[in-house]
Every structure is written in C-alpha cells, then in structure tokens.
mmCIF file of all heavy atoms in Angstrom:
data_model
loop_
_atom_site.group_PDB
_atom_site.id
_atom_site.type_symbol
_atom_site.label_atom_id
_atom_site.label_comp_id
_atom_site.label_asym_id
_atom_site.label_seq_id
_atom_site.Cartn_x
_atom_site.Cartn_y
_atom_site.Cartn_z
ATOM 1 N N PRO A 1 31.826 20.321 17.764
ATOM 2 C CA PRO A 1 32.689 21.358 18.365
ATOM 3 C C PRO A 1 31.912 22.324 19.247
ATOM 4 O O PRO A 1 32.460 22.833 20.243
ATOM 5 C CB PRO A 1 33.290 22.067 17.140
ATOM 6 C CG PRO A 1 32.394 21.738 15.998
ATOM 7 C CD PRO A 1 31.855 20.384 16.286
ATOM 8 N N LEU A 2 30.641 22.566 18.900
ATOM 9 C CA LEU A 2 29.833 23.457 19.738
ATOM 10 C C LEU A 2 29.566 22.825 21.098
ATOM 11 O O LEU A 2 29.647 23.497 22.141
ATOM 12 C CB LEU A 2 28.517 23.788 19.037
ATOM 13 C CG LEU A 2 28.629 24.569 17.720
ATOM 14 C CD1 LEU A 2 27.252 24.730 17.076
ATOM 15 C CD2 LEU A 2 29.264 25.934 17.961
ATOM 16 N N GLY A 3 29.237 21.533 21.092
ATOM 17 C CA GLY A 3 29.013 20.839 22.355
ATOM 18 C C GLY A 3 30.264 20.785 23.205
ATOM 19 O O GLY A 3 30.216 20.981 24.436
ATOM 20 N N GLN A 4 31.400 20.538 22.584
ATOM 21 C CA GLN A 4 32.664 20.506 23.320
ATOM 22 C C GLN A 4 33.032 21.890 23.852
ATOM 23 O O GLN A 4 33.566 22.014 24.961
ATOM 24 C CB GLN A 4 33.762 19.959 22.411
ATOM 25 C CG GLN A 4 33.560 18.494 22.050
ATOM 26 C CD GLN A 4 34.528 18.006 20.992
ATOM 27 O OE1 GLN A 4 35.148 18.806 20.278
ATOM 28 N NE2 GLN A 4 34.660 16.690 20.865
ATOM 29 N N LEU A 5 32.734 22.928 23.067
ATOM 30 C CA LEU A 5 32.990 24.295 23.527
ATOM 31 C C LEU A 5 32.126 24.632 24.739
ATOM 32 O O LEU A 5 32.611 25.225 25.716
ATOM 33 C CB LEU A 5 32.719 25.282 22.388
ATOM 34 C CG LEU A 5 32.912 26.769 22.728
ATOM 35 C CD1 LEU A 5 34.382 27.059 23.041
ATOM 36 C CD2 LEU A 5 32.443 27.642 21.557
ATOM 37 N N MET A 6 30.854 24.249 24.711
ATOM 38 C CA MET A 6 29.974 24.511 25.847
ATOM 39 C C MET A 6 30.429 23.736 27.076
ATOM 40 O O MET A 6 30.356 24.238 28.205
ATOM 41 C CB MET A 6 28.532 24.145 25.480
ATOM 42 C CG MET A 6 27.935 25.022 24.381
ATOM 43 S SD MET A 6 26.264 24.528 23.906
ATOM 44 C CE MET A 6 25.330 25.122 25.314
ATOM 45 N N ALA A 7 30.912 22.515 26.863
ATOM 46 C CA ALA A 7 31.404 21.720 27.992
ATOM 47 C C ALA A 7 32.643 22.355 28.613
ATOM 48 O O ALA A 7 32.878 22.241 29.826
ATOM 49 C CB ALA A 7 31.712 20.301 27.531
ATOM 50 N N ALA A 8 33.436 23.050 27.787
ATOM 51 C CA ALA A 8 34.663 23.666 28.285
ATOM 52 C C ALA A 8 34.421 25.026 28.929
ATOM 53 O O ALA A 8 35.142 25.413 29.862
ATOM 54 C CB ALA A 8 35.665 23.802 27.143
ATOM 55 N N LYS A 9 33.416 25.774 28.479
ATOM 56 C CA LYS A 9 33.260 27.169 28.887
ATOM 57 C C LYS A 9 32.099 27.433 29.846
ATOM 58 O O LYS A 9 32.132 28.391 30.614
ATOM 59 C CB LYS A 9 33.091 28.046 27.642
ATOM 60 C CG LYS A 9 34.282 28.024 26.683
ATOM 61 C CD LYS A 9 35.552 28.517 27.356
ATOM 62 C CE LYS A 9 36.726 28.541 26.394
ATOM 63 N NZ LYS A 9 37.976 28.991 27.045
ATOM 64 N N LEU A 10 31.028 26.620 29.776
ATOM 65 C CA LEU A 10 29.873 26.888 30.637
ATOM 66 C C LEU A 10 30.212 26.602 32.100
ATOM 67 O O LEU A 10 31.009 25.711 32.408
ATOM 68 C CB LEU A 10 28.674 26.039 30.205
ATOM 69 C CG LEU A 10 27.934 26.460 28.931
ATOM 70 C CD1 LEU A 10 26.792 25.494 28.652
ATOM 71 C CD2 LEU A 10 27.406 27.882 29.045
ATOM 72 N N THR A 11 29.561 27.327 32.970
ATOM 73 C CA THR A 11 29.771 27.109 34.399
ATOM 74 C C THR A 11 29.238 25.748 34.818
ATOM 75 O O THR A 11 28.221 25.272 34.293
ATOM 76 C CB THR A 11 29.071 28.206 35.220
ATOM 77 O OG1 THR A 11 29.241 27.913 36.606
ATOM 78 C CG2 THR A 11 27.574 28.276 34.905
ATOM 79 N N ASP A 12 29.925 25.114 35.768
ATOM 80 C CA ASP A 12 29.460 23.830 36.299
ATOM 81 C C ASP A 12 28.724 24.007 37.631
ATOM 82 O O ASP A 12 28.514 23.046 38.369
ATOM 83 C CB ASP A 12 30.619 22.860 36.464
ATOM 84 C CG ASP A 12 31.702 23.396 37.395
ATOM 85 O OD1 ASP A 12 31.532 24.521 37.909
ATOM 86 O OD2 ASP A 12 32.711 22.683 37.593
ATOM 87 N N ARG A 13 28.335 25.236 37.919
ATOM 88 C CA ARG A 13 27.598 25.517 39.160
ATOM 89 C C ARG A 13 26.281 24.742 39.182
ATOM 90 O O ARG A 13 25.586 24.645 38.170
ATOM 91 C CB ARG A 13 27.327 27.014 39.258
ATOM 92 C CG ARG A 13 26.454 27.417 40.443
ATOM 93 C CD ARG A 13 26.052 28.874 40.348
ATOM 94 N NE ARG A 13 25.068 29.222 41.362
ATOM 95 C CZ ARG A 13 24.420 30.374 41.411
ATOM 96 N NH1 ARG A 13 24.669 31.303 40.503
ATOM 97 N NH2 ARG A 13 23.532 30.611 42.375
ATOM 98 N N VAL A 14 25.931 24.215 40.365
ATOM 99 C CA VAL A 14 24.690 23.471 40.537
ATOM 100 C C VAL A 14 23.639 24.428 41.107
ATOM 101 O O VAL A 14 23.824 25.009 42.185
ATOM 102 C CB VAL A 14 24.880 22.273 41.472
ATOM 103 C CG1 VAL A 14 23.546 21.553 41.682
ATOM 104 C CG2 VAL A 14 25.919 21.312 40.907
ATOM 105 N N PHE A 15 22.552 24.589 40.390
ATOM 106 C CA PHE A 15 21.460 25.454 40.822
ATOM 107 C C PHE A 15 20.440 24.638 41.613
ATOM 108 O O PHE A 15 20.179 23.467 41.294
ATOM 109 C CB PHE A 15 20.790 26.098 39.609
ATOM 110 C CG PHE A 15 21.698 27.008 38.824
ATOM 111 C CD1 PHE A 15 22.470 26.510 37.770
ATOM 112 C CD2 PHE A 15 21.800 28.354 39.136
ATOM 113 C CE1 PHE A 15 23.303 27.347 37.038
ATOM 114 C CE2 PHE A 15 22.632 29.199 38.414
ATOM 115 C CZ PHE A 15 23.387 28.697 37.360
ATOM 116 N N PHE A 16 19.840 25.271 42.633
ATOM 117 C CA PHE A 16 18.826 24.629 43.478
ATOM 118 C C PHE A 16 19.368 23.326 44.078
ATOM 119 O O PHE A 16 18.709 22.281 44.055
ATOM 120 C CB PHE A 16 17.541 24.354 42.682
ATOM 121 C CG PHE A 16 16.947 25.568 42.046
ATOM 122 C CD1 PHE A 16 17.042 25.760 40.667
ATOM 123 C CD2 PHE A 16 16.317 26.536 42.810
ATOM 124 C CE1 PHE A 16 16.511 26.885 40.064
ATOM 125 C CE2 PHE A 16 15.774 27.670 42.217
ATOM 126 C CZ PHE A 16 15.875 27.849 40.841
ATOM 127 N N ARG A 17 20.597 23.359 44.559
ATOM 128 C CA ARG A 17 21.233 22.157 45.098
ATOM 129 C C ARG A 17 20.389 21.538 46.214
ATOM 130 O O ARG A 17 19.914 22.237 47.119
ATOM 131 C CB ARG A 17 22.628 22.489 45.626
ATOM 132 C CG ARG A 17 23.425 21.253 46.077
ATOM 133 C CD ARG A 17 24.764 21.670 46.674
ATOM 134 N NE ARG A 17 25.609 22.294 45.677
ATOM 135 C CZ ARG A 17 26.398 21.625 44.859
ATOM 136 N NH1 ARG A 17 26.440 20.297 44.931
ATOM 137 N NH2 ARG A 17 27.147 22.262 43.982
ATOM 138 N N GLY A 18 20.219 20.240 46.133
ATOM 139 C CA GLY A 18 19.477 19.507 47.140
ATOM 140 C C GLY A 18 17.978 19.551 46.980
ATOM 141 O O GLY A 18 17.248 18.907 47.734
ATOM 142 N N GLN A 19 17.486 20.311 46.023
ATOM 143 C CA GLN A 19 16.046 20.400 45.812
ATOM 144 C C GLN A 19 15.629 19.535 44.626
ATOM 145 O O GLN A 19 16.462 19.023 43.865
ATOM 146 C CB GLN A 19 15.653 21.860 45.572
ATOM 147 C CG GLN A 19 16.004 22.792 46.734
ATOM 148 C CD GLN A 19 15.540 24.209 46.483
ATOM 149 O OE1 GLN A 19 14.576 24.449 45.773
ATOM 150 N NE2 GLN A 19 16.249 25.173 47.080
ATOM 151 N N ARG A 20 14.340 19.436 44.431
ATOM 152 C CA ARG A 20 13.806 18.594 43.358
ATOM 153 C C ARG A 20 14.230 19.104 41.990
ATOM 154 O O ARG A 20 14.428 18.322 41.060
ATOM 155 C CB ARG A 20 12.283 18.548 43.465
ATOM 156 C CG ARG A 20 11.617 17.660 42.420
ATOM 157 C CD ARG A 20 10.110 17.659 42.607
ATOM 158 N NE ARG A 20 9.464 16.830 41.597
ATOM 159 C CZ ARG A 20 8.145 16.689 41.463
ATOM 160 N NH1 ARG A 20 7.337 17.322 42.329
ATOM 161 N NH2 ARG A 20 7.645 15.932 40.513
ATOM 162 N N TRP A 21 14.375 20.425 41.846
ATOM 163 C CA TRP A 21 14.682 21.022 40.545
ATOM 164 C C TRP A 21 16.182 21.272 40.364
ATOM 165 O O TRP A 21 16.590 22.087 39.556
ATOM 166 C CB TRP A 21 13.916 22.342 40.382
ATOM 167 C CG TRP A 21 12.445 22.184 40.564
ATOM 168 C CD1 TRP A 21 11.699 22.589 41.634
ATOM 169 C CD2 TRP A 21 11.548 21.546 39.665
ATOM 170 N NE1 TRP A 21 10.393 22.247 41.462
ATOM 171 C CE2 TRP A 21 10.256 21.601 40.249
ATOM 172 C CE3 TRP A 21 11.684 20.919 38.424
ATOM 173 C CZ2 TRP A 21 9.132 21.063 39.645
ATOM 174 C CZ3 TRP A 21 10.572 20.381 37.810
ATOM 175 C CH2 TRP A 21 9.319 20.454 38.412
ATOM 176 N N GLU A 22 17.004 20.558 41.089
ATOM 177 C CA GLU A 22 18.453 20.740 40.998
ATOM 178 C C GLU A 22 18.937 20.474 39.564
ATOM 179 O O GLU A 22 18.552 19.487 38.930
ATOM 180 C CB GLU A 22 19.142 19.776 41.962
ATOM 181 C CG GLU A 22 20.661 19.792 41.870
ATOM 182 C CD GLU A 22 21.291 18.793 42.821
ATOM 183 O OE1 GLU A 22 20.937 18.814 44.023
ATOM 184 O OE2 GLU A 22 22.125 17.988 42.369
ATOM 185 N N PHE A 23 19.777 21.372 39.055
ATOM 186 C CA PHE A 23 20.334 21.157 37.722
ATOM 187 C C PHE A 23 21.611 21.969 37.563
ATOM 188 O O PHE A 23 21.910 22.864 38.355
ATOM 189 C CB PHE A 23 19.340 21.568 36.630
ATOM 190 C CG PHE A 23 19.187 23.058 36.457
ATOM 191 C CD1 PHE A 23 19.929 23.762 35.508
ATOM 192 C CD2 PHE A 23 18.293 23.781 37.249
ATOM 193 C CE1 PHE A 23 19.795 25.129 35.356
ATOM 194 C CE2 PHE A 23 18.154 25.153 37.099
ATOM 195 C CZ PHE A 23 18.898 25.835 36.150
ATOM 196 N N THR A 24 22.359 21.624 36.534
ATOM 197 C CA THR A 24 23.572 22.353 36.190
ATOM 198 C C THR A 24 23.637 22.531 34.684
ATOM 199 O O THR A 24 23.152 21.678 33.931
ATOM 200 C CB THR A 24 24.835 21.616 36.679
ATOM 201 O OG1 THR A 24 25.992 22.344 36.256
ATOM 202 C CG2 THR A 24 24.915 20.212 36.099
ATOM 203 N N LEU A 25 24.209 23.642 34.256
ATOM 204 C CA LEU A 25 24.345 23.888 32.820
ATOM 205 C C LEU A 25 25.451 23.044 32.191
ATOM 206 O O LEU A 25 25.487 22.876 30.977
ATOM 207 C CB LEU A 25 24.641 25.378 32.572
ATOM 208 C CG LEU A 25 23.570 26.372 33.005
ATOM 209 C CD1 LEU A 25 24.054 27.802 32.724
ATOM 210 C CD2 LEU A 25 22.263 26.104 32.278
ATOM 211 N N ASN A 26 26.353 22.526 33.034
ATOM 212 C CA ASN A 26 27.517 21.810 32.510
ATOM 213 C C ASN A 26 27.779 20.562 33.353
ATOM 214 O O ASN A 26 28.556 20.596 34.302
ATOM 215 C CB ASN A 26 28.738 22.725 32.505
ATOM 216 C CG ASN A 26 29.902 22.131 31.735
ATOM 217 O OD1 ASN A 26 29.860 20.986 31.292
ATOM 218 N ND2 ASN A 26 30.960 22.910 31.592
ATOM 219 N N PRO A 27 27.127 19.434 33.021
ATOM 220 C CA PRO A 27 27.303 18.213 33.830
ATOM 221 C C PRO A 27 28.568 17.433 33.516
ATOM 222 O O PRO A 27 28.754 16.339 34.058
ATOM 223 C CB PRO A 27 26.063 17.397 33.457
ATOM 224 C CG PRO A 27 25.769 17.796 32.048
ATOM 225 C CD PRO A 27 26.140 19.260 31.945
ATOM 226 N N GLY A 28 29.423 17.932 32.624
ATOM 227 C CA GLY A 28 30.645 17.203 32.304
ATOM 228 C C GLY A 28 30.925 17.215 30.809
ATOM 229 O O GLY A 28 30.377 18.033 30.063
ATOM 230 N N PRO A 29 31.786 16.325 30.347
ATOM 231 C CA PRO A 29 32.140 16.278 28.919
ATOM 232 C C PRO A 29 30.915 16.030 28.032
ATOM 233 O O PRO A 29 29.959 15.363 28.436
ATOM 234 C CB PRO A 29 33.131 15.114 28.827
ATOM 235 C CG PRO A 29 33.672 14.960 30.216
ATOM 236 C CD PRO A 29 32.554 15.352 31.131
ATOM 237 N N PHE A 30 30.957 16.591 26.833
ATOM 238 C CA PHE A 30 29.900 16.376 25.838
ATOM 239 C C PHE A 30 29.907 14.902 25.454
ATOM 240 O O PHE A 30 30.920 14.375 24.985
ATOM 241 C CB PHE A 30 30.161 17.256 24.623
ATOM 242 C CG PHE A 30 29.101 17.177 23.557
ATOM 243 C CD1 PHE A 30 27.808 17.599 23.811
ATOM 244 C CD2 PHE A 30 29.405 16.679 22.296
ATOM 245 C CE1 PHE A 30 26.837 17.542 22.831
ATOM 246 C CE2 PHE A 30 28.448 16.618 21.305
ATOM 247 C CZ PHE A 30 27.149 17.051 21.577
ATOM 248 N N ASN A 31 28.758 14.204 25.652
ATOM 249 C CA ASN A 31 28.751 12.752 25.478
ATOM 250 C C ASN A 31 27.869 12.311 24.313
ATOM 251 O O ASN A 31 27.079 13.089 23.767
ATOM 252 C CB ASN A 31 28.321 12.059 26.777
ATOM 253 C CG ASN A 31 26.866 12.331 27.133
ATOM 254 O OD1 ASN A 31 25.946 11.806 26.532
ATOM 255 N ND2 ASN A 31 26.662 13.201 28.144
ATOM 256 N N VAL A 32 27.996 11.052 23.947
ATOM 257 C CA VAL A 32 27.360 10.527 22.745
ATOM 258 C C VAL A 32 25.838 10.490 22.864
ATOM 259 O O VAL A 32 25.134 10.658 21.871
ATOM 260 C CB VAL A 32 27.935 9.138 22.411
ATOM 261 C CG1 VAL A 32 27.537 8.109 23.470
ATOM 262 C CG2 VAL A 32 27.494 8.678 21.026
ATOM 263 N N LYS A 33 25.294 10.267 24.058
ATOM 264 C CA LYS A 33 23.837 10.189 24.190
ATOM 265 C C LYS A 33 23.190 11.564 24.009
ATOM 266 O O LYS A 33 22.100 11.657 23.420
ATOM 267 C CB LYS A 33 23.459 9.575 25.537
ATOM 268 C CG LYS A 33 23.852 8.104 25.653
ATOM 269 C CD LYS A 33 23.262 7.437 26.874
ATOM 270 C CE LYS A 33 23.663 5.976 26.936
ATOM 271 N NZ LYS A 33 23.048 5.264 28.076
ATOM 272 N N GLU A 34 23.844 12.606 24.520
ATOM 273 C CA GLU A 34 23.381 13.953 24.203
ATOM 274 C C GLU A 34 23.385 14.162 22.691
ATOM 275 O O GLU A 34 22.446 14.712 22.119
ATOM 276 C CB GLU A 34 24.313 14.993 24.828
ATOM 277 C CG GLU A 34 24.308 15.123 26.316
ATOM 278 C CD GLU A 34 25.343 16.153 26.753
ATOM 279 O OE1 GLU A 34 26.532 15.805 26.837
ATOM 280 O OE2 GLU A 34 24.965 17.313 26.989
ATOM 281 N N HIS A 35 24.447 13.731 22.073
ATOM 282 C CA HIS A 35 24.620 13.907 20.632
ATOM 283 C C HIS A 35 23.524 13.188 19.857
ATOM 284 O O HIS A 35 22.998 13.703 18.857
ATOM 285 C CB HIS A 35 25.998 13.382 20.228
ATOM 286 C CG HIS A 35 26.455 13.849 18.890
ATOM 287 N ND1 HIS A 35 27.628 13.430 18.306
ATOM 288 C CD2 HIS A 35 25.885 14.703 17.982
ATOM 289 C CE1 HIS A 35 27.761 14.005 17.125
ATOM 290 N NE2 HIS A 35 26.726 14.774 16.909
ATOM 291 N N VAL A 36 23.152 11.988 20.291
ATOM 292 C CA VAL A 36 22.084 11.240 19.624
ATOM 293 C C VAL A 36 20.768 12.013 19.692
ATOM 294 O O VAL A 36 20.043 12.133 18.695
ATOM 295 C CB VAL A 36 21.921 9.843 20.250
ATOM 296 C CG1 VAL A 36 20.677 9.146 19.696
ATOM 297 C CG2 VAL A 36 23.154 8.986 19.985
ATOM 298 N N LEU A 37 20.448 12.556 20.855
ATOM 299 C CA LEU A 37 19.190 13.285 20.991
ATOM 300 C C LEU A 37 19.193 14.567 20.156
ATOM 301 O O LEU A 37 18.162 14.944 19.582
ATOM 302 C CB LEU A 37 18.933 13.626 22.461
ATOM 303 C CG LEU A 37 18.424 12.475 23.332
ATOM 304 C CD1 LEU A 37 18.152 12.971 24.743
ATOM 305 C CD2 LEU A 37 17.173 11.839 22.755
ATOM 306 N N ILE A 38 20.337 15.235 20.075
ATOM 307 C CA ILE A 38 20.427 16.411 19.197
ATOM 308 C C ILE A 38 20.157 15.996 17.756
ATOM 309 O O ILE A 38 19.466 16.703 17.007
ATOM 310 C CB ILE A 38 21.817 17.069 19.327
ATOM 311 C CG1 ILE A 38 21.993 17.661 20.728
ATOM 312 C CG2 ILE A 38 22.012 18.149 18.266
ATOM 313 C CD1 ILE A 38 23.410 18.103 21.027
ATOM 314 N N THR A 39 20.675 14.839 17.363
ATOM 315 C CA THR A 39 20.450 14.333 16.005
ATOM 316 C C THR A 39 18.986 13.971 15.780
ATOM 317 O O THR A 39 18.459 14.125 14.676
ATOM 318 C CB THR A 39 21.358 13.118 15.742
ATOM 319 O OG1 THR A 39 22.715 13.480 15.986
ATOM 320 C CG2 THR A 39 21.212 12.632 14.307
ATOM 321 N N ILE A 40 18.309 13.490 16.818
ATOM 322 C CA ILE A 40 16.871 13.205 16.701
ATOM 323 C C ILE A 40 16.113 14.504 16.423
ATOM 324 O O ILE A 40 15.200 14.542 15.580
ATOM 325 C CB ILE A 40 16.343 12.536 17.985
ATOM 326 C CG1 ILE A 40 17.001 11.164 18.188
ATOM 327 C CG2 ILE A 40 14.821 12.394 17.927
ATOM 328 C CD1 ILE A 40 16.785 10.187 17.069
ATOM 329 N N PHE A 41 16.474 15.577 17.101
ATOM 330 C CA PHE A 41 15.896 16.895 16.801
ATOM 331 C C PHE A 41 16.188 17.276 15.353
ATOM 332 O O PHE A 41 15.305 17.766 14.630
ATOM 333 C CB PHE A 41 16.482 17.958 17.743
ATOM 334 C CG PHE A 41 15.762 18.115 19.040
ATOM 335 C CD1 PHE A 41 16.139 17.386 20.158
ATOM 336 C CD2 PHE A 41 14.705 18.995 19.163
ATOM 337 C CE1 PHE A 41 15.480 17.527 21.365
ATOM 338 C CE2 PHE A 41 14.035 19.152 20.363
ATOM 339 C CZ PHE A 41 14.425 18.409 21.474
ATOM 340 N N ALA A 42 17.438 17.078 14.922
ATOM 341 C CA ALA A 42 17.809 17.421 13.554
ATOM 342 C C ALA A 42 17.047 16.570 12.549
ATOM 343 O O ALA A 42 16.660 17.054 11.474
ATOM 344 C CB ALA A 42 19.318 17.240 13.369
ATOM 345 N N ASN A 43 16.827 15.300 12.864
ATOM 346 C CA ASN A 43 16.035 14.443 11.972
ATOM 347 C C ASN A 43 14.630 14.991 11.769
ATOM 348 O O ASN A 43 14.060 14.914 10.677
ATOM 349 C CB ASN A 43 15.957 13.022 12.529
ATOM 350 C CG ASN A 43 17.242 12.240 12.344
ATOM 351 O OD1 ASN A 43 18.088 12.609 11.528
ATOM 352 N ND2 ASN A 43 17.407 11.160 13.079
ATOM 353 N N ALA A 44 14.061 15.528 12.851
ATOM 354 C CA ALA A 44 12.728 16.122 12.733
ATOM 355 C C ALA A 44 12.750 17.312 11.786
ATOM 356 O O ALA A 44 11.807 17.536 11.015
ATOM 357 C CB ALA A 44 12.215 16.551 14.115
ATOM 358 N N GLY A 45 13.830 18.073 11.804
ATOM 359 C CA GLY A 45 13.926 19.232 10.924
ATOM 360 C C GLY A 45 14.284 18.889 9.500
ATOM 361 O O GLY A 45 13.947 19.631 8.570
ATOM 362 N N SER A 46 14.978 17.763 9.292
ATOM 363 C CA SER A 46 15.411 17.419 7.936
ATOM 364 C C SER A 46 14.354 16.661 7.152
ATOM 365 O O SER A 46 14.446 16.554 5.928
ATOM 366 C CB SER A 46 16.697 16.572 7.997
ATOM 367 O OG SER A 46 16.456 15.336 8.646
ATOM 368 N N GLY A 47 13.347 16.116 7.841
ATOM 369 C CA GLY A 47 12.271 15.420 7.139
ATOM 370 C C GLY A 47 11.186 16.403 6.739
ATOM 371 O O GLY A 47 10.565 17.059 7.567
ATOM 372 N N LEU A 48 10.937 16.531 5.442
ATOM 373 C CA LEU A 48 9.965 17.516 4.963
ATOM 374 C C LEU A 48 8.577 17.252 5.543
ATOM 375 O O LEU A 48 8.162 16.103 5.718
ATOM 376 C CB LEU A 48 9.900 17.477 3.433
ATOM 377 C CG LEU A 48 11.150 17.960 2.693
ATOM 378 C CD1 LEU A 48 10.985 17.787 1.194
ATOM 379 C CD2 LEU A 48 11.438 19.418 3.015
#
C-alpha cells in the first residue's frame, strides 16, 4: 500500500530531462520488480 500510495501521490516530473542524470520520482504504477528488490533489502534486515 505504501508503494501504491507513492505511485498515486508523488510528482511524475522528470528532473534533468535530456541529460545523463535524468530521473523521475514517479515512473508509473508500483511494479513487481521494485517489490522484489525491496524484499531483498528486507531479507538483509531479517537475517541475523
């Protein structure tokens, strides 16, 4: 729900458009591959 909330509320403005460091805070719907990587971070925290 947090990822879906960020996808709904964060700005989709593109920063540094056309440059090498171009990025956006909101590239679209919260997707499964993002979710997998978040879980990999969580796995690191859950393993003593």
